[in-house]
Amino acid sequence: MPRGSGKVNLVDVARQAGVSLATASRVLNGSTRSVGADLRERVRQAAANLDYSPSAPAQAMARGGTDVVGLVVPDISDPYFSTIAASVVRHAEPHGLIITLASTERRFEREAEYVASLRSQQARGVVLVGSRTTNDEQLEALRAELDAYTAAGGRAAAIGQHILPADTVIVENRSGARALAEELVNLGYRRFAVLAGPADLLTARDRLAGFREGLRQHGIEVADRDVINGEFTRDGGYEAASELLERDRAPECVFAVNDVMAVGALSAFRDRGVRLPDELAVAGFDDIASLRDVWPSLTTVRIPLERLGEEALGFLLDEPAERSRTRRFSGEVVVRASTPPVS
Amino acid sequence: MPRGSGKVNLVDVARQAGVSLATASRVLNGSTRSVGADLRERVRQAAANLDYSPSAPAQAMARGGTDVVGLVVPDISDPYFSTIAASVVRHAEPHGLIITLASTERRFEREAEYVASLRSQQARGVVLVGSRTTNDEQLEALRAELDAYTAAGGRAAAIGQHILPADTVIVENRSGARALAEELVNLGYRRFAVLAGPADLLTARDRLAGFREGLRQHGIEVADRDVINGEFTRDGGYEAASELLERDRAPECVFAVNDVMAVGALSAFRDRGVRLPDELAVAGFDDIASLRDVWPSLTTVRIPLERLGEEALGFLLDEPAERSRTRRFSGEVVVRASTPPVS
DNA sequence: AGCGTGCTGGAAAGAGCTTTCCAGCGGGTA
DNA sequence: TACCCGCTGGAAAGCTCTTTCCAGCACGCT
């Protein structure tokens, strides 16, 4: 058992190996400069003996940077974000990147704080996940912080919206929702309602707009009063769905702009005694894996969540580009039991 | 716009404020020593002007430590772990702790690597989540690494098992499963099967053992051939359930040792045309929030996932204790639609 | 034999902050 | 008036690495 507990540093290693500090350092970080095989071995031995663990902060200082990448998500317990997080973490590891996690609990003003913290930590990059409020002072604060961060040499990537000074991975919400709408019309539905998420989230807005576009192709409109806003969460879906049922005329099909809301809506309908899926069809968006077992299984738009993190990291690792780059992913409509063909 | 982009350090701030480095430092970290109000203000101004961002690595060196806490989970995309992660992150923030995330993808040998990395980073503590394999060399490697880490001043906490040299938060799996078994018997069930998770995970074993204990109270046994092992995942549940259906004699009630497997099993049964819940009852364990909307809604054992992270962080922040401490949480049986009373 | 070339090892200069130690100054007490 | 104390500000050490620059050495060439 090595008893060098606690305070072993490179100096100790060098001394034990009988070489200079510089040589020890060169051996241990496999630098470009070559070191004789004998010394090399002596240093390796000494390091192992002493159970040497290099000080990451010291390395960060000397090297002028770290291998930390900050990941900021609105809510890590939401399966949509945790899937993306998993993807980021998985692809970070082979590059030796360390992921630092921040979950803002959907309080977007904290994003700027986290970016500031990342700058202070000399983090290599940041991945910002999630749609956010449209133009306002919060957004401005975040932009300013992001600019300061990149000016200081940090790299930034965003997943989910293209309003930030950063390389961006986006999902084609609009066309996905449009395709879904058309599919639903093909299945025979004519009267729709939409559980639309927060009015100020771009993602929610795009999906609603796309859905309406798709319907319009077939001469169908969704009246504003059949569009109900709610939180982008399971409970938000439940509440919006409950509200919908209070209305006089019921739709044939409800489109919830994400799966999490859709699943909440399912429960709301069931709790109110609606027979699913025959009496009322439901569709979602995202195709969240852990939600695939609900019944009736959700018709939805699959987006390649696992790829999102990978691409974002790719941006961070690439050479910085002149202007922000964009990578788009399109969705794919998946029809399941929640929207049976209208007989 | 401050043009001190990139390389502003304390020296710059001190110079602009016309004070010494020491004074600037004292002002900026609100140290114990007092500084005259005028100078204090001048330094604050200068820092703001220059958009000064202290170098975290430098601070870590000078202070001999960081406010980083490592969180290592088997799979961040699993709702069980992401819920715990959310809890850790939420409670970390008010203490100024930064969470570093590692998801091992259930490759437990990587836990030791992460702890080593945390030691190198001079992280304040580590929270290890998840049950793990019983005694073997992997476990030994992790223990050794953990000892080295704590010897170097790091703090360690574990969630989910008590076989590590660390303060531990555990869930009383055994008594929870026992209570569930009794409840199911009270509902009228007599013939059971268990989808048991990996044979080497303590959590899975405890739940199985507790379940059997509960049944035994009522003179009911579960034959070994009615216990099917599988991965602790949705797909693991699906497969184990499928395998079960191949058997000759069907049970009346299936206990899946966690909700994620239970939900997979639900789909497997449905895909095979089993009418749920009347033809076959299903129970789970954990009461995962994002799975509450499946149909039939799962009878399960609720465990206070949100509290787990909080307690673990509490351990890290507390004074180090002589010997490892343990905090236990018990589960609560929740009966829902998936186990209707036997008529 | 003399000199250049190519290696290898070491000394030392940072990197940016915290904190101890010291000096100076003003006010209170004898 | 002389002395001491307390308070505030500054100089400098130290935290642990990386990396540049330099010196020494052996070899090969002329």
Side-chain angles (χ1 to χ4, degrees):
Chain A
M1 162 194 318
R3 76 271 96 85
S5 51
K7 307 268 74 185
V8 186
N9 59 20
L10 239 203
V11 177
D12 300 321
V13 173
R15 184 169 10 180
Q16 167 142 137
V19 302
S20 81
L21 183 56
T23 304
S25 171
R26 285 199 267 253
V27 171
L28 260 15
N29 56 27
S31 93
T32 46
R33 271 282 301 269
S34 64
V35 174
D38 46 343
L39 290 201
R40 179 181 304 279
E41 188 47 31
R42 288 228 301 281
V43 172
R44 290 245 166 76
Q45 272 299 334
N49 275 348
L50 298 169
D51 193 19
Y52 171 65
S53 169
S55 158
Q59 295 190 132
M61 278 204 66
R63 300 208 249 245
T66 67
D67 287 330
V68 167
V69 169
L71 173 63
V72 5
V73 299
D75 177 5
I76 190 61
S77 69
D78 181 316
Y80 177 82
F81 298 117
S82 71
T83 305
I84 292 176
S87 151
V88 171
V89 170
R90 171 170 323 118
H91 294 287
E93 204 257 351
H95 299 286
L97 263 21
I98 292 174
I99 298 295
T100 265
L101 176 67
S103 182
T104 61
E105 306 194 315
R106 299 178 197 272
R107 287 164 44 203
F108 297 115
E109 70 275 16
R110 288 173 47 185
E111 295 186 316
E113 296 170 21
Y114 282 120
V115 174
S117 156
L118 257 11
R119 172 156 68 113
S120 164
Q121 288 177 63
Q122 319 249 14
R124 176 105 148 254
V126 58
V127 178
L128 288 156
V129 187
S131 174
R132 48 183 54 70
T133 58
T134 47
N135 255 301
D136 64 354
E137 54 311 328
Q138 270 178 27
L139 221 206
E140 266 328 302
L142 178 57
R143 279 196 178 126
E145 204 54 68
L146 231 28
D147 284 335
Y149 180 54
T150 49
R155 303 293 310 278
I159 296 180
Q161 77 300 309
H162 37 204
I163 54 176
L164 256 21
D167 291 332
T168 301
V169 180
I170 55 184
V171 170
E172 294 186 334
N173 290 306
R174 200 164 187 129
S175 65
R178 195 187 310 130
L180 175 64
E182 303 212 38
E183 186 67 42
L184 293 174
V185 171
N186 287 341
L187 285 169
Y189 296 98
R190 294 293 177 270
R191 293 204 321 279
F192 296 90
V194 179
L195 310 184
D200 56 354
L201 283 198
L202 251 32
T203 303
R205 282 149 58 126
D206 284 350
R207 291 179 182 180
L208 171 59
F211 192 74
R212 276 179 151 155
E213 276 174 32
L215 294 184
R216 212 166 286 141
Q217 302 276 336
H218 300 268
I220 301 175
E221 295 286 338
V222 180
D224 283 345
R225 53 182 199 133
D226 290 328
V227 173
I228 302 183
N229 291 107
E231 280 297 296
F232 232 1
T233 62
R234 183 268 176 197
D235 288 350
Y238 189 97
E239 283 163 29
S242 304
E243 194 180 328
L244 183 68
L245 287 190
E246 318 264 296
R247 307 295 175 84
D248 37 353
R249 59 163 202 181
E252 297 165 336
C253 178
V254 174
F255 169 47
V257 298
N258 74 7
D259 278 3
V260 172
M261 292 186 78
V263 153
L266 245 32
S267 279
F269 294 146
R270 202 148 40 214
D271 288 354
R272 295 299 191 296
V274 177
R275 287 206 340 278
L276 299 174
D278 305 312
E279 217 168 308
L280 184 55
V282 174
F285 204 110
D286 288 342
D287 197 27
I288 300 291
S290 68
L291 264 24
R292 267 176 215 157
D293 297 302
V294 297
W295 181 257
S297 56
L298 276 180
T299 289
T300 187
V301 178
R302 168 177 304 167
I303 58 188
L305 288 179
E306 335 71 39
R307 301 293 314 284
L308 267 32
E310 182 180 3
E311 291 292 326
L313 275 182
F315 280 143
L316 294 192
L317 293 166
D318 262 18
E319 290 304 302
E322 277 302 295
R323 338 175 353 184
S324 334
R325 288 161 295 188
T326 303
R327 176 81 162 86
R328 296 171 176 278
F329 284 99
S330 56
E332 181 195 352
V333 177
V334 183
V335 178
R336 298 209 184 91
S338 68
T339 58
V342 175
S343 50
Chain B
M1 165 193 316
R3 77 270 98 86
S5 50
K7 306 269 75 185
V8 186
N9 60 18
L10 238 205
V11 176
D12 299 323
V13 174
R15 184 172 9 188
Q16 168 142 133
V19 302
S20 81
L21 183 56
T23 303
S25 172
R26 286 200 266 256
V27 171
L28 261 15
N29 57 26
S31 95
T32 46
R33 272 281 301 272
S34 63
V35 174
D38 45 343
L39 290 201
R40 179 181 304 281
E41 188 48 31
R42 287 229 300 281
V43 172
R44 289 246 166 76
Q45 272 299 336
N49 274 349
L50 297 169
D51 192 19
Y52 170 65
S53 169
S55 158
Q59 294 189 133
M61 281 205 64
R63 299 208 251 245
T66 66
D67 288 330
V68 167
V69 168
L71 173 63
V72 7
V73 298
D75 177 5
I76 190 61
S77 68
D78 181 315
Y80 177 82
F81 298 116
S82 72
T83 305
I84 292 177
S87 151
V88 171
V89 170
R90 171 171 323 117
H91 294 286
E93 204 258 350
H95 299 286
L97 263 23
I98 293 174
I99 298 294
T100 265
L101 176 67
S103 182
T104 62
E105 307 194 315
R106 300 178 198 272
R107 288 164 45 201
F108 297 115
E109 72 274 15
R110 288 173 48 184
E111 295 185 317
E113 296 170 21
Y114 282 120
V115 175
S117 155
L118 257 12
R119 172 157 68 113
S120 163
Q121 287 177 64
Q122 320 249 10
R124 176 105 148 255
V126 58
V127 177
L128 288 156
V129 186
S131 175
R132 50 183 53 69
T133 58
T134 48
N135 254 302
D136 64 353
E137 56 308 331
Q138 269 178 28
L139 221 205
E140 267 328 302
L142 178 57
R143 279 196 179 124
E145 203 53 69
L146 232 26
D147 285 334
Y149 180 55
T150 50
R155 304 292 310 278
I159 295 179
Q161 78 300 310
H162 37 203
I163 54 176
L164 256 20
D167 292 331
T168 301
V169 181
I170 56 184
V171 170
E172 294 187 334
N173 290 306
R174 199 162 188 131
S175 66
R178 196 185 311 129
L180 175 64
E182 304 213 38
E183 186 67 41
L184 292 174
V185 172
N186 285 343
L187 285 170
Y189 296 99
R190 293 294 176 270
R191 295 206 319 281
F192 295 90
V194 179
L195 310 184
D200 56 352
L201 282 198
L202 251 32
T203 302
R205 283 149 57 127
D206 284 350
R207 290 178 184 181
L208 171 59
F211 193 73
R212 277 178 150 153
E213 275 174 32
L215 294 185
R216 212 165 286 140
Q217 302 277 336
H218 299 268
I220 301 174
E221 294 285 338
V222 179
D224 282 346
R225 53 183 198 131
D226 290 328
V227 174
I228 302 183
N229 290 108
E231 281 297 297
F232 231 0
T233 61
R234 184 268 174 198
D235 289 349
Y238 190 96
E239 283 162 28
S242 305
E243 194 179 330
L244 182 68
L245 287 190
E246 319 263 299
R247 308 296 174 84
D248 36 355
R249 60 163 201 180
E252 298 164 335
C253 178
V254 173
F255 169 47
V257 298
N258 74 8
D259 278 2
V260 172
M261 292 186 78
V263 153
L266 245 31
S267 279
F269 294 146
R270 203 149 39 214
D271 288 355
R272 295 300 191 296
V274 177
R275 286 203 343 277
L276 299 174
D278 305 312
E279 217 168 309
L280 184 55
V282 175
F285 204 113
D286 289 343
D287 197 28
I288 300 291
S290 67
L291 264 25
R292 269 177 213 155
D293 297 303
V294 297
W295 182 256
S297 55
L298 275 180
T299 288
T300 188
V301 179
R302 167 176 306 167
I303 57 188
L305 288 180
E306 336 70 38
R307 302 292 314 284
L308 269 31
E310 182 180 3
E311 291 293 326
L313 275 182
F315 280 141
L316 294 192
L317 292 167
D318 262 18
E319 290 305 301
E322 277 303 294
R323 339 174 350 183
S324 352
R325 288 160 295 188
T326 303
R327 175 80 163 86
R328 297 173 174 277
F329 283 99
S330 56
E332 180 196 351
V333 177
V334 184
V335 178
R336 298 210 183 91
S338 67
T339 59
V342 175
S343 51

